[in-house]
Amino acid sequence: MTTRPLKDHGAPAPHLRTLLRGGGVVAFDGSRHVHLKRGDVVFCGGRIEYAGPQWVERADAPVHETIDTTGKLVVPGLVNTHLHVTDTPFTRGWLDDYASSAQAGAASNVTALYRLLPAVRAAALAEDQLAAAECAFSELLLSGSTTVVELGYDEEMGDRGDMATPRAVGDIAGRLGLRCYLAPRYRSRYWKLGPDGAPAYFSYEGDGLPRMRACVELLGEIHGTHQGRVRGMLAPGQVDTCEPALLRATREAADKTGYLIQLHAGQSPSEFRRIRQQHGCTTLEYLDRLGLLGRDLILGHSMFFSESGDVDECNSVELQRLRDSGTHLCHLPWVKARQGTVMRSFAKYRRHGIQVCLGTDTYPFDMFNEMRMAAAMCRVADGSPQAVTAAEIFHAATVGGAQALQRDDLGRLAAGCQADIVLVDVNRPHAVPLRDAIQHLVLSASAADVDSVFVAGRRVVDRRELVYGNLGDAVARLAEAGERVEARVRVE
Ligand SMILES: [Zn+2]
């Protein structure tokens, strides 16, 4: 595998040294996050030089700015490895009271996924999608996500999959100061209601291969722009909407270019049954046969790799292949919990030695909510508060995500890492007394506690305000876009 060179590193971060001092720090000791009740973090030129107990200033390393972090907890930026910003805000209020894809085949599910979802997506034009992206990226930064993976939409959107839209989405993320992996999707077929009123699949031109080529070309243009913060990722849609040839072509493209891959898989029992029916094997065996498993692959959702969804019902060979290949699973607990399904379980995958990271998928784009859901859902699924610790969940939301992105310089506060840093207000009623900071972050803290955010050493959120965007304007634009989209929706 060759690694695609970054397009443009841009101007280096200014070599001004900043010291964060006065409050607690969640530093990384090389294997885990450690809470220091008082600690210092020093960064310069976009990278962390020091994170630990009191730092001693040296003549050859003058401090240019000291930020008082009294009453704050200094934590690593959260790594959110799966989300869709351009359409899901418009689906809010349409789908949520219908059943999930786990019950595919039930009448209510047909209404939500096959009738309402395509109708809402088709009504969102490029201008609306960009308004949604601006608002969602703002929400992400304001809630402490510093790295995100945006999985864009295909031709079912109102702009018919025009490549100008994902390009503009990447520019919005870059301008606001986020670190964004842009993953425009391609697939062989999409679904909606057929002429007879039953769910039906419709093929794209060339079973998705021309679209895939256009996506790879776009990645070549954007990879490494915005000072290296905007990068590309290959995103074949879902395991059941891609032909084997498209998935093989994806593996070849990844090996040739070094781009990572993300694929939706393990979303529902019906998907599991469909793969078994069509290919005569389980979903994991199918992915293994195609040569797709690997440390450069992230599988979004990963809840149903057996029909029941219980990880212990997967056969030992497929679990071993999943582990030994280094494939990453992206857990998206809230979107599924609100539809009544749960991963069974986060802890079981981890016990099998399998890598798990976290993402928000849809709304709210809030990793604090997602961490809390991941902890609660795992404990509910396994019936014990000891099933998973808060530290394991926080690790998945930081280091786990960084590993999925093959970035050992993200998701941790340690010398040499990117200065992606979040200051969390702990001078709050639900935070005191602060005995265990990591339990607080996972089980009590909320997005509203995020005070300031730095990405690559640049302050992008300052005391709850965006530095490079205007939240009020973004919210107003999205509200207007929502009115336009709703007026255009035609439910067949
Ligand atoms: Zn998704």
Side-chain angles (χ1 to χ4, degrees):
M1 182 178 85
T2 57
T3 302
R4 193 94 180 172
L6 298 181
K7 194 111 191 150
D8 160 34
H9 286 277
H15 281 265
L16 297 175
R17 188 164 284 101
T18 302
L19 166 64
L20 306 177
R21 170 171 284 174
V25 172
V26 174
F28 193 68
D29 74 357
S31 59
R32 64 193 185 93
H33 295 292
V34 180
H35 174 209
L36 306 170
K37 291 213 168 185
R38 276 183 72 109
D40 289 348
V41 175
V42 179
F43 59 88
C44 183
R47 290 197 180 259
I48 295 169
E49 291 184 334
Y50 177 85
Q54 192 170 11
W55 183 69
V56 181
E57 200 170 334
R58 305 188 314 260
D60 63 340
V63 168
H64 302 92
E65 183 189 21
T66 300
I67 296 172
D68 181 8
T69 56
T70 304
K72 311 285 190 301
L73 188 62
V74 184
V75 309
L78 302 171
V79 182
N80 186 342
T81 46
H82 182 123
L83 47 95
H84 312 277
V85 297
T86 56
D87 77 325
T88 61
F90 300 113
T91 67
R92 185 164 32 208
W94 285 94
L95 308 178
D96 287 329
D97 287 344
Y98 289 98
S100 78
S101 52
Q103 291 93 35
S108 55
N109 184 64
V110 169
T111 304
L113 283 188
Y114 296 89
R115 177 176 278 149
L116 293 176
L117 188 57
V120 175
R121 283 182 178 159
L125 305 183
E127 183 192 3
D128 311 313
Q129 295 173 46
L130 299 185
E134 173 102 21
C135 223
F137 286 144
S138 301
E139 183 186 358
L140 285 156
L141 274 178
L142 290 163
S143 57
S145 286
T146 50
T147 299
V148 305
V149 177
E150 152 58 11
L151 296 143
Y153 276 91
D154 207 335
E155 296 168 44
E156 69 271 29
M157 296 297 286
D159 68 344
R160 313 309 300 161
D162 185 342
M163 282 298 170
T165 305
R167 188 184 288 114
V169 167
D171 284 338
I172 294 170
R175 169 172 54 76
L176 289 170
L178 261 175
R179 209 179 276 290
C180 178
Y181 284 74
L182 201 65
R185 285 193 326 170
Y186 52 88
R187 52 186 183 168
S188 305
R189 59 187 92 89
Y190 65 101
W191 29 247
K192 62 175 189 175
L193 285 190
D196 58 352
Y201 286 84
F202 297 86
S203 291
Y204 289 123
E205 183 201 341
D207 284 335
L209 280 162
R211 165 84 181 178
M212 178 189 155
R213 285 192 284 271
C215 289
V216 173
E217 199 173 309
L218 175 67
L219 299 190
E221 287 172 34
I222 58 96
H223 189 67
T225 55
H226 296 275
Q227 299 84 46
R229 287 181 289 104
V230 173
R231 300 187 181 198
M233 184 182 285
L234 295 162
Q238 298 93 352
V239 65
D240 57 334
T241 58
C242 293
E243 286 293 331
L246 190 63
L247 294 174
R248 275 196 210 95
T250 298
R251 168 42 72 208
E252 275 169 32
D255 289 348
K256 200 166 134 205
T257 60
Y259 295 135
L260 308 175
I261 309 167
Q262 180 148 190
L263 171 73
H264 286 72
Q267 286 200 84
S268 68
S270 60
E271 172 207 288
F272 182 82
R273 285 194 294 269
R274 189 179 159 93
I275 297 291
R276 196 169 50 192
Q277 211 173 36
Q278 294 200 322
H279 306 287
C281 59
T282 67
T283 308
L284 289 173
E285 284 165 349
Y286 173 59
L287 293 173
D288 192 21
R289 253 186 231 174
L290 290 170
L292 215 58
L293 298 181
R295 58 190 290 273
D296 58 353
L297 175 69
I298 303 170
L299 296 175
H301 291 284
S302 298
M303 293 169 74
F304 291 92
F305 289 137
S306 65
E307 193 164 342
S308 72
D310 189 331
V311 175
D312 287 343
E313 285 179 19
C314 296
N315 73 56
S316 59
V317 177
E318 58 190 2
L319 289 174
Q320 191 186 343
R321 283 294 299 135
L322 202 53
R323 179 182 62 238
D324 294 350
S325 63
T327 302
H328 299 266
L329 309 185
C330 183
H331 184 26
L332 307 160
W334 175 227
V335 66
K336 291 298 182 186
R338 70 177 183 245
Q339 295 167 338
T341 51
V342 53
M343 177 185 268
R344 295 192 302 136
S345 67
F346 177 95
K348 286 184 180 177
Y349 277 127
R350 294 297 296 134
R351 271 206 297 279
H352 286 288
I354 292 159
Q355 311 262 24
V356 187
C357 51
L358 272 188
T360 49
D361 200 24
T362 70
Y363 45 85
F365 295 102
D366 171 2
M367 282 287 274
F368 284 90
N369 175 57
E370 224 60 50
M371 289 194 288
R372 194 185 307 194
M373 283 296 151
M377 287 299 133
C378 180
R379 291 171 182 194
V380 168
D382 291 354
S384 166
Q386 291 173 313
V388 69
T389 64
E392 288 169 295
I393 299 293
F394 190 67
H395 189 90
T398 51
V399 176
Q403 286 171 335
L405 300 173
Q406 301 191 355
R407 297 288 299 266
D408 57 10
D409 62 342
L410 299 180
R412 68 207 80 186
L413 301 184
C417 293
Q418 292 285 337
D420 292 3
I421 300 168
V422 178
L423 306 190
V424 177
D425 189 353
V426 287
N427 199 14
R428 309 269 289 167
H430 56 278
V432 287
L434 189 67
R435 180 162 176 269
D436 182 319
I438 293 172
Q439 284 192 27
H440 167 69
L441 290 167
V442 173
L443 302 172
S444 290
S446 82
D449 299 339
V450 171
D451 176 88
S452 295
V453 178
F454 299 82
V455 176
R458 209 159 59 117
R459 200 193 276 238
V460 294
V461 174
D462 184 5
R463 284 158 289 181
R464 297 183 168 83
E465 297 274 348
L466 297 169
V467 176
Y468 300 101
N470 183 317
L471 185 67
D473 288 354
V475 168
R477 271 203 305 278
L478 179 54
E480 282 168 25
E483 300 275 330
R484 291 195 298 269
V485 171
E486 187 165 1
R488 262 186 235 120
V489 170
R490 294 285 171 269
V491 179
E492 289 172 22

